[in-house]
Amino acid sequence: MTLELVSEARCFDGLQRTYRHPSAATGTPMRVAVYLPPQAEHGPVPVVWFLAGLTCTEDNFTQKAGAQRVAAELGLALIAPDTSPRGEGVPDDPAYDFGQGAGFYLDATVSPWSQHFQMRRYIEDELPRLLGAELPIDPTRQSLCGHSMGGHGALTIALRNPSRYKAVSAFAPIVSPLNCPWGEKALSGYLGPDRVAWRPYDACALIADGARVPEILVDQGTADPFLERELKPHLLEEACRTTGIALTLNRRPGYDHSYFFIASFMESHLRWHAERLNGG
Amino acid sequence: MTLELVSEARCFDGLQRTYRHPSAATGTPMRVAVYLPPQAEHGPVPVVWFLAGLTCTEDNFTQKAGAQRVAAELGLALIAPDTSPRGEGVPDDPAYDFGQGAGFYLDATVSPWSQHFQMRRYIEDELPRLLGAELPIDPTRQSLCGHSMGGHGALTIALRNPSRYKAVSAFAPIVSPLNCPWGEKALSGYLGPDRVAWRPYDACALIADGARVPEILVDQGTADPFLERELKPHLLEEACRTTGIALTLNRRPGYDHSYFFIASFMESHLRWHAERLNGG
């Protein structure tokens, strides 16, 4: 067993687990939360990956989104990875938006970050293989969801791997790191000044460069304090409109950037995912 | 305004707020979380109080129980107080089960605890008055729920005030502090060695001494690590059976003591409360 079970709790007749495992990609121990619905007792189930935002660990979504109830009803596994490598030997930055807790789902090329901050390889390649080998999840029925920095992660991973994921949705995603302070800081710090190297980590740039998914679901609160400066959903709207990607962008009046917002619309996202994971 | 708004987030079309206010009972600032369902825009709504367990603040239930969805549907306000006074001038104990975070919903009589640890007066008298004066909640339609130490709080407050609360339920409650290590430590520490003074803070002793409520709902996980040593639901079963109190005790196979357990059965508790708050 590569996966070490850290905790397990029954939840809505399924099992909420946290695992720890060594990661070859990050060179550190990593933690990941997995919810297995009751249907997983009888065979492989489809899986929704949830990528979390700045400062989060595998716990935030798991404890605050209220997703297990609907996942149990629909027979979906939920996988919530951590957002970066962590620990004493891992470089960090005092800011909340860089370093530990802010991996941005990319493979860093700039020292000292490049040694451990390899979250793209970890999420795209290593973790699916590890979990797929030991858990009753169906590799042919996977989808991606995420919040803020994790919305950026979900969109970019789906756009780079359109045949692997059956659906992608996001809550308040960073849609274009090339065009916001969070993104400019992270991508320059992890990847260096050449903005061409940033484009695989920018949903709008990926679309401009030819990447396609058939459809995208996004929910965005209108009272989100990061809306104008960091999130800029109109950039994704433009990118999708000019390329024929079917974007459903729900602007939710009065909602902010918190898990109270995510919890309010989690059910609608999971039902949308289930239709695509279970459909033809 | 006695209540200072610390935070507010839209949640399931209602409002999740945190307030801070000075408390005469505890002599400290206190924090309380309040969820107002959308129905509160049109007039007073019934309210379910949720009393949390050891180590908790007003946040644990608010962030982890997933209660707002059902509260919004049923038109219930939710009030989640902190579990003790806190802060620099407040005595504390290094243990997790005594001092700050472990107020046990009692009025301490032993120094130095007696100066600030007056959680019974705070929850029974002061906080209902404060919130009732400023929020659209209906004082004639209140009920109590709680977890572990907070289940003890809910049961004892309901038994001492049977005409004020229309219903009481609990998750994994401490049903008899006189008969478990947590209770013996807390009650002796806060109230002194005379066990007669403990009886108003023990649900089973209150029932033995004549207190009555018509019915009680309890959910208890069978994999709860505190079941045998601290919680002892059979003592409440015996007390109710011999006195005609209608106890529904749901033993939930495989569930533990966590909020994953609480979240799994929160909806059934809130529907049970709503029937009694809205019924004749």
Side-chain angles (χ1 to χ4, degrees):
Chain A
M1 289 287 282
T2 310
L3 299 173
E4 175 195 353
L5 186 64
V6 175
S7 67
E8 178 177 83
R10 186 157 290 275
C11 185
F12 288 98
D13 284 334
L15 292 171
Q16 181 63 57
R17 291 178 174 160
T18 302
Y19 292 106
R20 182 168 42 207
H21 68 89
S23 164
T26 69
T28 65
M30 293 292 292
R31 292 166 70 102
V32 58
V34 177
Y35 178 69
L36 293 176
Q39 295 85 344
E41 291 172 28
H42 309 296
V45 294
V47 54
V48 179
W49 291 73
F50 188 91
L51 305 182
L54 289 166
T55 76
C56 288
T57 70
E58 72 283 1
D59 278 341
N60 300 67
F61 166 80
T62 301
Q63 296 181 345
K64 296 181 176 181
Q68 293 93 345
R69 178 185 60 88
V70 187
E73 178 198 326
L74 299 174
L76 302 174
L78 303 171
I79 299 176
D82 200 352
T83 59
S84 81
R86 297 177 192 272
E88 281 194 17
V90 178
D92 199 8
D93 184 283
Y96 76 98
D97 56 0
F98 197 75
Q100 295 186 31
F104 267 86
Y105 305 99
L106 54 74
D107 288 347
T109 56
V110 171
S111 180
W113 311 102
S114 51
Q115 187 184 354
H116 296 294
F117 283 73
Q118 300 287 314
M119 289 299 288
R120 172 183 174 168
R121 289 198 286 138
Y122 174 65
I123 300 287
E124 278 189 18
D125 301 329
E126 185 180 26
L127 195 53
R129 209 167 45 236
L130 278 177
L131 297 179
E134 299 197 20
L135 297 178
I137 54 180
D138 181 350
T140 70
R141 290 185 293 163
Q142 299 188 61
S143 68
L144 288 159
C145 183
H147 172 230
S148 195
M149 176 183 76
H152 145 74
L155 292 171
T156 54
I157 292 171
L159 284 161
R160 289 194 306 260
N161 302 274
S163 64
R164 192 196 302 176
Y165 298 99
K166 294 217 178 280
V168 60
S169 77
F171 294 88
I174 303 171
V175 304
S176 184
L178 276 81
N179 291 293
C180 70
W182 278 342
E184 295 197 357
K185 177 179 179 180
L187 273 51
S188 63
Y190 293 129
L191 302 173
D194 178 5
R195 295 172 72 98
V196 173
W198 302 7
R199 297 183 72 82
Y201 301 112
D202 182 298
C204 292
L206 280 163
I207 294 171
D209 294 346
R212 295 289 181 272
V213 290
E215 53 182 341
I216 296 172
L217 171 64
V218 170
D219 274 66
Q220 174 62 60
T222 65
D224 188 321
F226 305 111
L227 179 55
E228 302 293 333
R229 183 176 161 89
E230 304 285 2
L231 305 176
K232 304 184 181 182
H234 63 278
L235 296 179
L236 184 64
E237 270 186 314
E238 287 166 24
C240 289
R241 190 174 52 234
T242 58
T243 54
I245 294 174
L247 171 67
T248 302
L249 172 57
N250 298 311
R251 289 187 168 84
R252 301 296 188 181
Y255 284 86
D256 67 12
H257 200 67
S258 70
Y259 273 86
F260 295 121
F261 157 61
I262 296 172
S264 298
F265 301 102
M266 197 72 232
E267 177 168 355
S268 65
H269 277 240
L270 289 182
R271 292 195 185 284
W272 187 88
H273 281 259
E275 286 172 12
R276 284 148 187 83
L277 289 164
N278 295 323
Chain B
M1 289 289 282
T2 310
L3 300 174
E4 174 195 352
L5 187 64
V6 174
S7 67
E8 178 178 83
R10 187 156 289 276
C11 186
F12 289 97
D13 284 333
L15 292 170
Q16 181 61 57
R17 290 177 175 161
T18 303
Y19 293 106
R20 182 168 42 206
H21 67 89
S23 165
T26 68
T28 65
M30 292 292 290
R31 293 166 70 102
V32 58
V34 178
Y35 178 70
L36 293 176
Q39 295 85 343
E41 291 173 28
H42 309 297
V45 294
V47 54
V48 179
W49 292 73
F50 188 91
L51 305 182
L54 288 167
T55 77
C56 288
T57 70
E58 72 283 0
D59 278 341
N60 300 67
F61 167 79
T62 302
Q63 297 181 346
K64 296 182 177 180
Q68 293 94 344
R69 179 184 62 87
V70 186
E73 178 198 324
L74 300 173
L76 303 174
L78 303 171
I79 300 176
D82 200 351
T83 59
S84 81
R86 296 177 192 272
E88 281 194 18
V90 178
D92 199 9
D93 185 283
Y96 76 98
D97 57 0
F98 197 74
Q100 296 187 32
F104 267 85
Y105 305 99
L106 54 73
D107 288 347
T109 55
V110 170
S111 181
W113 311 102
S114 51
Q115 186 183 354
H116 297 294
F117 285 73
Q118 300 288 313
M119 289 298 289
R120 172 185 174 169
R121 290 197 286 138
Y122 174 66
I123 300 286
E124 277 188 20
D125 301 331
E126 186 181 25
L127 195 53
R129 210 166 47 237
L130 278 176
L131 297 179
E134 299 196 18
L135 296 179
I137 54 179
D138 181 350
T140 70
R141 290 185 292 165
Q142 298 187 62
S143 68
L144 289 159
C145 182
H147 172 230
S148 195
M149 176 184 75
H152 145 74
L155 292 171
T156 54
I157 292 172
L159 284 161
R160 290 194 306 261
N161 301 275
S163 65
R164 193 198 298 177
Y165 298 99
K166 294 218 178 278
V168 61
S169 77
F171 294 88
I174 302 170
V175 304
S176 185
L178 277 82
N179 292 293
C180 69
W182 277 342
E184 295 198 358
K185 176 178 178 181
L187 273 52
S188 63
Y190 291 129
L191 303 173
D194 178 5
R195 294 172 72 99
V196 173
W198 301 8
R199 298 184 68 81
Y201 301 112
D202 183 299
C204 293
L206 280 163
I207 293 170
D209 294 346
R212 295 290 181 271
V213 290
E215 52 181 343
I216 296 171
L217 171 64
V218 170
D219 274 67
Q220 173 63 59
T222 64
D224 188 322
F226 305 110
L227 179 57
E228 301 294 333
R229 182 175 161 90
E230 303 285 1
L231 305 176
K232 304 184 180 180
H234 63 277
L235 296 178
L236 183 64
E237 269 186 316
E238 287 165 23
C240 289
R241 189 174 52 235
T242 58
T243 56
I245 294 174
L247 171 68
T248 302
L249 173 55
N250 298 311
R251 289 187 168 85
R252 302 297 189 180
Y255 284 86
D256 66 12
H257 200 66
S258 71
Y259 272 86
F260 296 121
F261 157 60
I262 297 173
S264 299
F265 301 101
M266 197 72 232
E267 177 168 354
S268 65
H269 277 239
L270 289 182
R271 293 194 185 283
W272 188 88
H273 280 260
E275 286 171 12
R276 282 144 188 87
L277 289 164
N278 295 324

